[in-house]
Amino acid sequence: MTTISPTRVSMYDFLYQDIQPMVSLLADAAQLSLPQTHLAISHSLQAIVSALLAYQQHYQGQAISKKLFTRSAVKELRKYNSMNFVTTNAILYHRHDVADALFGNSARVITASEYIAQQIKTTAPQAQILLTSLCVIALRELAILADYSQLDYEEIDNWFVLQPQFLSAERFAHTDSVIPIMLSIDAKATNTESINADKNTNSKTDINNNISESTMLPEVVTTNPAEASVHATVMDLTPPPFDRYWYELNKFTPKSTLPIQDMQQATSNYLKAIGRSPENMQSGSHNDMLVFSQMPAIYLPHQRWLLQLAKISDIYLSRNRLRITSEPINPPTRPLVNLRSIGNKNDNPSKPASETTIKHDTTYPIWKNPIILIIIVVLGTLSALATLKYQTKKSNGVLPATEAVIEQDLAQERARREAAAANDTDKQEKPTTN
């Protein structure tokens, strides 16, 4: 069984991690320092995601797909497969049009830019360049993700409905509680190293035991440098907490309802297919099943389209397509997801012959055969057209020559019969005369 992080379907997390390779390019475009750019990106993405949620709440997923994801600017940006100065020029050309369409009007864009400028201590025009540029990039990336996942309008609506829980304070409260503990552990470890330099081995062992007992977080404390670096990388890619000011600015009303599980997919067969059934835990044929791992304050239904979206998001992020490089000669291939990994119906274990149902060939009456019906319709149509044509010509006097020929044939036939009758009469009278 393969688990995947629930944040792979979070627009905020996806965009934050996806845009990291081009931070220096955005800093150059907005003439900001790298620390200012990092802060401005997080605030801008919060503004963009909240604007998207407000747009979907007012116009639904069909408008998202037709008016945002398929805009001419987004289609032009999708022609590029890497980020460079050529791509940046295209982004800067379309940024005002896309930002106004997303936020509703230019006044709201200016208000958001002024708020971001206050947070990063810069001017509003510089913040506006970064915000509007990210609008184009974010719509392009989400459009690609929805296209690769083949989401329809209803699935786009469901995808947007799941987003507020990734922005909730409960989710970031859990994340924030881990960081101070990690910092305190490092501080305690540094202090104990300085203290133990002047003490013997026994006292060093006692202090280390006290530290490990006081922290009570064995999953955070690790002695493997590789694991520590991986954990640090994951923590760095976690976006900062969401500012609810953007809900007020974009007029978005979050709903506290939890996503509803589809009862049709909550049956035992579906749970067995996705690896949630205890009966299937030891089965070797389902070790590659794809399921969502557990995450505090996040509730996701195990639906096929959502699992496929998460897997494609993971593949897309692993390719690091927004890195700064020249345009490749051959564009990257579309990511493909094995249907077995998202619970295909054909993955169920085959039943024995005694349990399989025998399927008989169904016979249909002749009048239900589509081929015979087509033949009858064609013949009837042709006959009706021929009759109509004949009646039309007859009523218009187009057939006098045909009637004259018939009358001439009848006269000739009568003449022949009369000649033949005359010959028979002559033959009968000759013997009588003799």
Side-chain angles (χ1 to χ4, degrees):
M1 185 186 304
T2 303
T3 59
I4 192 169
S5 173
T7 56
R8 283 294 181 257
V9 297
S10 168
M11 297 179 185
Y12 183 38
D13 293 73
F14 171 77
L15 293 173
Y16 185 82
Q17 182 176 348
D18 189 36
I19 293 173
Q20 292 304 315
M22 56 177 304
V23 171
S24 58
L25 200 61
L26 292 173
D28 183 71
Q31 297 181 357
L32 297 172
S33 64
L34 289 179
Q36 285 179 320
T37 305
H38 279 286
L39 291 175
I41 286 176
S42 61
H43 289 291
S44 299
L45 289 180
Q46 292 177 21
I48 292 169
V49 171
S50 61
L52 277 170
L53 295 180
Y55 195 98
Q56 186 272 338
Q57 195 173 62
H58 288 88
Y59 304 107
Q60 304 305 316
Q62 185 174 1
I64 290 285
S65 179
K66 291 184 176 181
K67 296 184 179 180
L68 294 182
F69 288 170
T70 58
R71 294 183 70 87
S72 59
V74 176
K75 290 181 178 180
E76 181 179 349
L77 263 295
R78 290 188 61 174
K79 298 178 182 178
Y80 302 98
N81 297 285
S82 62
M83 287 296 162
N84 46 49
F85 289 114
V86 176
T87 315
T88 306
N89 290 333
I91 292 172
L92 295 176
Y93 179 78
H94 294 287
R95 61 189 182 92
H96 289 293
D97 178 36
V98 174
D100 292 344
L102 179 60
F103 284 90
N105 51 57
S106 58
R108 192 170 296 172
V109 176
I110 295 174
T111 304
S113 302
E114 293 175 350
Y115 181 81
I116 295 174
Q118 294 177 359
Q119 303 300 317
I120 64 175
K121 308 301 181 183
T122 187
T123 61
Q126 289 176 302
Q128 185 176 0
I129 292 175
L130 186 63
L131 173 62
T132 53
S133 301
L134 283 176
C135 288
V136 184
I137 299 172
L139 285 184
R140 178 225 187 219
E141 295 301 290
L142 294 178
I144 292 175
L145 191 59
D147 180 26
Y148 286 172
S149 304
Q150 299 179 358
L151 302 182
D152 56 20
Y153 301 146
E154 182 180 359
E155 291 167 349
I156 289 177
D157 282 327
N158 295 332
W159 184 27
F160 275 78
V161 169
L162 296 173
Q163 298 307 309
Q165 61 181 329
F166 293 103
L167 310 176
S168 62
E170 293 79 6
R171 181 237 170 149
F172 292 103
H174 177 80
T175 304
D176 294 338
S177 63
V178 178
I179 299 176
I181 294 176
M182 291 181 63
L183 296 177
S184 63
I185 291 173
D186 295 336
K188 290 182 180 180
T190 305
N191 293 333
T192 53
E193 288 178 0
S194 61
I195 295 174
N196 292 334
D198 300 332
K199 292 187 179 181
N200 55 15
T201 306
N202 294 332
S203 61
K204 180 179 180 179
T205 304
D206 294 337
I207 294 174
N208 288 334
N209 292 335
N210 292 333
I211 293 174
S212 61
E213 292 175 358
S214 62
T215 57
M216 296 300 291
L217 285 174
E219 69 276 7
V220 177
V221 181
T222 177
T223 58
N224 190 352
E227 293 180 0
S229 62
V230 171
H231 186 76
T233 303
V234 174
M235 295 302 296
D236 291 340
L237 293 178
T238 302
F242 182 79
D243 188 357
R244 295 183 67 88
Y245 164 78
W246 301 114
Y247 283 166
E248 301 175 0
L249 177 64
N250 294 298
K251 308 300 181 182
F252 174 71
T253 306
K255 299 180 180 179
S256 59
T257 57
L258 297 177
I260 300 175
Q261 173 68 44
D262 188 359
M263 297 307 297
Q264 184 178 0
Q265 296 189 355
T267 59
S268 59
N269 291 333
Y270 183 77
L271 293 177
K272 191 174 183 180
I274 66 175
R276 288 287 183 178
S277 175
E279 302 174 358
N280 198 38
M281 295 302 292
Q282 301 298 328
S283 177
S285 62
H286 294 281
N287 290 333
D288 59 344
M289 286 293 107
L290 182 65
V291 295
F292 286 115
S293 59
Q294 298 296 328
M295 184 175 180
I298 300 298
Y299 303 92
L300 296 179
H302 285 76
Q303 295 184 2
R304 291 174 60 87
W305 68 269
L306 196 60
L307 290 169
Q308 183 174 354
L309 173 65
K311 184 61 178 177
I312 290 178
S313 174
D314 187 66
I315 296 173
Y316 190 87
L317 291 175
S318 65
R319 292 181 177 182
N320 198 17
R321 289 186 52 169
L322 294 188
R323 61 183 180 274
I324 303 174
T325 182
S326 59
E327 187 69 18
I329 299 176
N330 297 322
T333 58
R334 295 171 66 97
L336 299 177
V337 179
N338 185 9
L339 293 179
R340 288 196 61 199
S341 64
I342 53 178
N344 191 12
K345 294 181 180 180
N346 296 328
D347 293 333
N348 293 331
S350 59
K351 297 181 180 179
S354 59
E355 297 182 3
T356 57
T357 58
I358 300 175
K359 296 182 179 180
H360 299 280
D361 295 335
T362 57
T363 58
Y364 295 94
I366 296 177
W367 61 273
K368 285 187 177 181
N369 193 326
I371 298 176
I372 295 178
L373 292 177
I374 291 174
I375 294 174
I376 294 174
V377 170
V378 171
L379 293 178
T381 304
L382 293 177
S383 300
L385 291 175
T387 305
L388 180 63
K389 183 177 180 181
Y390 176 78
Q391 295 294 335
T392 303
K393 289 184 177 180
K394 186 176 180 180
S395 61
N396 295 334
V398 184
L399 301 175
T402 304
E403 295 178 354
V405 170
I406 294 174
E407 292 178 358
Q408 184 179 0
D409 292 339
L410 293 175
Q412 292 178 356
E413 184 66 23
R414 286 195 298 268
R416 292 193 196 96
R417 290 179 181 178
E418 291 176 357
N423 291 334
D424 293 340
T425 305
D426 293 340
K427 290 179 181 180
Q428 291 178 0
E429 290 178 353
K430 285 180 181 181
T432 307
T433 306
N434 294 332

